[in-house]
Amino acid sequence: MRTILSQRLLRRPCAACRHGERLQPEEIARIGLDSRLELYRPTGCSECDFTGYSGRIGIHEALTVDDGIRAVLGGTASAIASAAVAGGTTFLYEQGRRLCMTGDTTVDEVVRVLGEAD
Ligand SMILES: [Zn+2]
């Protein structure tokens, strides 16, 4: 095995109602982001059939099994994760966090698709 691929689709917030409700700090902390960020939850409107979402965006994670990974196979999950990051992998969860900060998805959506932060 040379590369392990994972992908998920996250719903995009509706452009018309994306800033419907400001999140509470504890909601933002659910995915490990700085709770002082100004993030929103869409409320739903006639443009999005009252779902709050319109369209999707893909996130992808590629873990190449290189010498750095082989050296830590059989070790702890955190050792493997560190080697993966060193090898250039950006994990799905980190991509979800980034998309929340750019307004391309929501904290609720990251939790729905990827679960709570560890
Ligand atoms: Zn809407």
Side-chain angles (χ1 to χ4, degrees):
M1 184 182 324
R2 305 190 123 234
T3 301
I4 302 164
L5 291 172
S6 299
Q7 61 182 358
R8 300 287 188 280
L9 288 172
L10 299 171
R11 293 181 297 171
R12 287 177 169 270
C14 168
C17 64
R18 68 188 322 142
H19 293 135
E21 178 186 346
R22 186 168 177 182
L23 295 185
Q24 296 298 309
E26 59 272 17
E27 293 179 284
I28 296 167
R30 291 173 73 195
I31 62 168
L33 284 174
D34 184 338
S35 61
R36 295 168 296 182
L37 286 169
E38 195 171 307
L39 298 178
Y40 295 88
R41 171 182 294 118
T43 50
C45 66
S46 59
E47 294 289 316
C48 60
D49 290 331
F50 300 94
T51 63
Y53 294 92
S54 179
R56 292 175 188 258
I57 188 167
I59 54 175
H60 314 270
E61 173 184 295
L63 173 63
T64 300
V65 183
D66 58 12
D67 290 343
I69 295 293
R70 282 189 200 93
V72 294
L73 284 180
T76 64
S78 67
I80 295 169
S82 294
V85 170
T89 298
T90 303
F91 292 115
L92 292 175
Y93 216 91
E94 182 56 29
Q95 293 176 46
R97 286 187 185 116
R98 291 178 187 176
L99 290 175
C100 285
M101 293 179 2
T102 58
D104 290 304
T105 195
T106 64
V107 169
D108 292 341
E109 190 63 2
V110 170
V111 170
R112 182 183 74 83
V113 172
L114 300 171
E116 306 262 347
D118 291 334

